[in-house]
Amino acid sequence: MADPKVSGRPVVVQRRRIERVKAILDAAEAILAEQGYEAATLRAIGERAGIPTASVYHYFGDRLAVETELLQRHLAALRGQIITRLRERGRRTVRDVVDAVIDPLLTYGRGNPSFVELWRERAGTLVELGREFDESLSERTWRALIERDLIGVDTPLLAVQLAFEVGDRLFDVAFTRSPGGDETAMDEGRRIITAYLETYAPPAPASGD
């Protein structure tokens, strides 16, 4: 018969690991939100979490590993929100579809300043995560526009990918101008992206005369 103290130890260790990882990520998120990117060092994160810096390294090899975990969590949540909006049946114009992407992005950024810090300072692995996020959603947006007959079926996917690139830059500008995301900058972005995508509208049907 197994000793319950011995058999239960892996469960205790696993629970402790989960709790510590959560504490580290929560601390990193709080520092990013309150003090900005530069302040979120592993030492500061450990102090905030009440965990020795050496132990932080045990769970995350470096600062980038912490940032990667956080950004993945943010992007997964944001991706789900955007997909839900794209599926709404009331999206009947190009502007409606553009808003389905920009509205959740703006709202999420305002509610999650740590995401804004990571997105603006992204480098290395974080750049790859951002690129994968854009590629996945740009294809979904492209299909949504075609399915609604808002752009021609021959519209290159690249056109929507470029629209996302513009959107990324405008997001950076909006949150640089204001911690809450400058509404004017985002509205200008909506106009720019909408006008560009409307150039790919399918030809009007021939008249019957």
Side-chain angles (χ1 to χ4, degrees), residues 1 3 33 35 59 71 81 87 114 143 154 202:
M1 181 175 178
D3 184 338
Q35 303 175 45
Y59 297 104
L71 188 58
Q81 293 177 22
R87 287 174 175 165
S114 63
R143 294 187 185 282
D154 59 344

Side-chain angles (χ1 to χ4, degrees), residues 74-87 97-98 100-102 104-105 108 115 119 129-145 148 151 157 159-165 168 197:
H74 283 306
L75 292 179
L78 180 56
R79 184 175 182 273
Q81 293 177 22
I82 292 174
I83 289 174
T84 297
R85 297 293 290 274
L86 285 172
R87 287 174 175 165
V97 175
V98 170
V101 177
I102 290 181
L105 182 62
Y108 194 86
F115 165 66
W119 187 260
L129 289 176
R131 184 176 295 116
E132 291 169 5
F133 176 80
D134 280 355
E135 287 178 355
S136 172
L137 284 177
S138 61
E139 183 170 357
R140 282 182 174 270
T141 304
W142 175 65
R143 294 187 185 282
L145 289 163
R148 289 168 171 79
I151 60 175
L157 174 58
V160 181
Q161 290 173 334
L162 290 174
F164 268 74
E165 291 285 345
D168 287 348
L197 292 176

